[in-house]
């Protein structure tokens, strides 16, 4: 059994303490679908992470290959990153049996997958962080073995399933239009005049994978074309926006919607040749061309870089 280690001057109290071991790890927290955030190493609350965390770095990959007669080896036809699992060993403890049970139950109640997906957040000492959507899968079924539990302590290995293999970086928000600040882009602010290019700039995606933007367009405008000139892809809005209209074009995978004023489906008003493109890793040359604009016209851009590691 591992040596019991505790912070100086504190103790979970009672007999038969949990087999805790020192762990050096940045701050890791769990936010459930109801918005409750739990720090996963919280001595005062009665639980701490243990050594043996897995799943914070690269995901697994599926490779699709073809074999040909009389040709050695295989031809790689494609690959994809798999959904990942994150494994978190934890110890629960209390000053007595009742205290231990109350603490453990309060924590485990946040893991109910029927509530919907939650979020794991890893924060570094400098305040930077990355997040990943996750569901609890297994590990807290209850093990009363001699080396895994006592009268008022228990160790568990929690497994979370993450539908996306990518960790998300901090959100990026940018604005184009009259009075837009957009300090990220030295070409801004851009003053909008009737029928002109609203903005042309370079967006640097620091992530390891493509990042999918959400565009919020405030009218008026008689037409809108938003292009990634680096890839040659664009999407066009063919219907006019009034001065009070707000159109949100969400390019994210498994979402991909165009909604006017939060209620009306505007997908039919995207040109047939439209492609809801993403930012590739590195620099992307982007242009926003709007006609029929006034000084009230603006475009907002929101996205999150995606990373292979936490």
């Amino acid at each position: 059994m591992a040596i019991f280690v505790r912070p100086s001057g504190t103790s979970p109290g009672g007999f038969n303490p949990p087999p805790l071991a020192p762990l050096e790890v940045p701050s890791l927290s769990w936010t459930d679908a109801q918005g409750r955030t739990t720090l996963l190493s919280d001595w005062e609350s009665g639980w701490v992470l243990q050594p043996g965390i897995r799943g914070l770095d690269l995901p697994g990959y599926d490779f699709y290959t073809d074999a040909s007669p009389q040709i050695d080896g295989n031809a790689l036809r494609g690959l994809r990153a798999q959904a990942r699992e994150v494994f978190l060993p934890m110890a629960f403890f209390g000053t007595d049996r009742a205290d231990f049970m109350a603490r453990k139950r309060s924590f485990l109640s946040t893991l109910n997958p029927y509530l919907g997906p939650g979020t794991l957040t890893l924060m570094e000492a400098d305040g930077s962080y990355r997040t990943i959507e996750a569901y609890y899968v297994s590990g807290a079924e209850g093990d009363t073995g001699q080396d895994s539990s006592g009268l008022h302590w228990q160790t568990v290995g929690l497994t979370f399933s993450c539908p996306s293999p990518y960790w998300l970086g901090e959100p990026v928000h940018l604005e184009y239009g009259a009075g837009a600040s957009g300090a990220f882009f030295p070409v801004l602010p851009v003053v909008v005049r009737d029928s002109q290019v609203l903005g042309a700039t370079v967006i640097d995606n620091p992530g390891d994978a493509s990042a999918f933007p959400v565009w919020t367009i405030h009218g008026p405008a008689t037409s809108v074309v938003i292009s990634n000139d680096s890839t040659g892809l664009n999407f066009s809005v063919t219907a006019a926006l009034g001065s009070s209209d707000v159109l949100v074009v969400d390019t994210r995978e498994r979402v991909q919607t165009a909604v006017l004023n939060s209620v009306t489906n505007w997908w039919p008003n995207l040109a047939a040749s439209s492609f809801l493109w993403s930012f590739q890793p590195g620099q992307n040359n982007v242009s926003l061309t709007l006609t029929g604009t006034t000084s009230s016209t603006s475009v907002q851009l929101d996205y999150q870089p995606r990373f292979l590691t936490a």
Side-chain angles (χ1 to χ4, degrees), residues 172-193 196-204 213-220 224-229 277 279 284-290 293-303:
V172 177
H173 175 79
L174 301 162
E175 297 187 12
Y176 300 80
S181 58
F184 188 81
F185 298 111
V187 298
L188 296 181
V190 176
V191 177
V192 181
R193 297 182 178 85
Q196 71 162 44
V197 175
L198 183 61
T201 189
V202 176
I203 294 179
D204 188 8
V214 178
W215 301 96
T216 303
I217 305 162
H218 296 258
V224 178
V225 180
I226 299 182
S227 306
N228 187 332
D229 299 327
W277 50 266
F279 298 128
N284 295 255
N285 295 311
V286 175
S287 61
L288 298 81
T289 306
L290 287 76
T293 61
T294 71
S295 59
S296 298
T297 306
S298 67
V299 177
Q300 298 172 357
L301 164 62
D302 294 276
Y303 71 95

Side-chain angles (χ1 to χ4, degrees), residues 90-305:
M90 296 189 64
F92 296 94
F93 52 86
T95 57
D96 53 39
R97 178 68 178 178
D99 182 53
F100 158 66
M101 292 300 295
R103 290 178 172 191
K104 184 178 70 168
R105 287 168 175 166
S106 70
F107 180 94
L108 296 183
S109 69
T110 71
L111 301 183
N112 184 357
Y114 279 108
L115 298 177
T119 302
L120 290 169
T121 301
L122 189 144
M123 179 175 291
E124 298 289 345
D126 63 1
S128 62
Y129 64 89
R130 292 180 181 177
T131 65
I132 194 166
E133 184 182 83
Y135 293 88
Y136 163 77
V137 174
S138 64
E141 293 82 7
D143 183 353
T144 58
Q146 180 178 358
D147 292 332
S148 58
S149 69
L151 182 63
H152 54 86
W153 65 270
Q154 186 176 26
T155 58
V156 300
L158 304 178
T159 298
F160 292 83
S161 178
C162 306
S164 170
Y166 299 110
W167 291 83
L168 298 179
E170 299 178 41
V172 177
H173 175 79
L174 301 162
E175 297 187 12
Y176 300 80
S181 58
F184 188 81
F185 298 111
V187 298
L188 296 181
V190 176
V191 177
V192 181
R193 297 182 178 85
D194 185 60
S195 302
Q196 71 162 44
V197 175
L198 183 61
T201 189
V202 176
I203 294 179
D204 188 8
N205 172 16
D208 303 313
S210 54
F212 294 87
V214 178
W215 301 96
T216 303
I217 305 162
H218 296 258
T222 55
S223 70
V224 178
V225 180
I226 299 182
S227 306
N228 187 332
D229 299 327
S230 297
T231 61
L233 301 174
N234 68 71
F235 68 87
S236 304
V237 181
T238 58
L241 298 172
S243 58
S244 61
D245 285 334
V246 178
L247 174 64
V248 177
V249 180
D250 191 334
T251 74
R252 290 175 296 173
E253 294 175 308
R254 298 184 176 90
V255 179
Q256 296 202 335
T257 57
V259 179
L260 183 71
N261 300 328
S262 302
V263 293
T264 305
N265 176 22
W266 258 42
W267 191 265
N269 293 321
L270 298 183
S273 60
S274 293
F275 189 93
L276 298 188
W277 50 266
S278 60
F279 298 128
Q280 299 305 299
Q283 293 188 337
N284 295 255
N285 295 311
V286 175
S287 61
L288 298 81
T289 306
L290 287 76
T291 61
T293 61
T294 71
S295 59
S296 298
T297 306
S298 67
V299 177
Q300 298 172 357
L301 164 62
D302 294 276
Y303 71 95
Q304 285 185 275

Side-chain angles (χ1 to χ4, degrees), residues 54-59 84 165 167 308-310:
R54 299 194 301 270
L56 302 186
D57 291 326
L58 292 177
R84 75 164 71 219
W167 291 83
L308 291 170
T309 63

Side-chain angles (χ1 to χ4, degrees), residues 5-27:
V5 177
R6 65 177 184 269
S8 176
T10 63
S11 170
F15 178 71
N16 194 15
L20 301 181
L23 177 65
E24 294 183 3
V25 67
S27 172

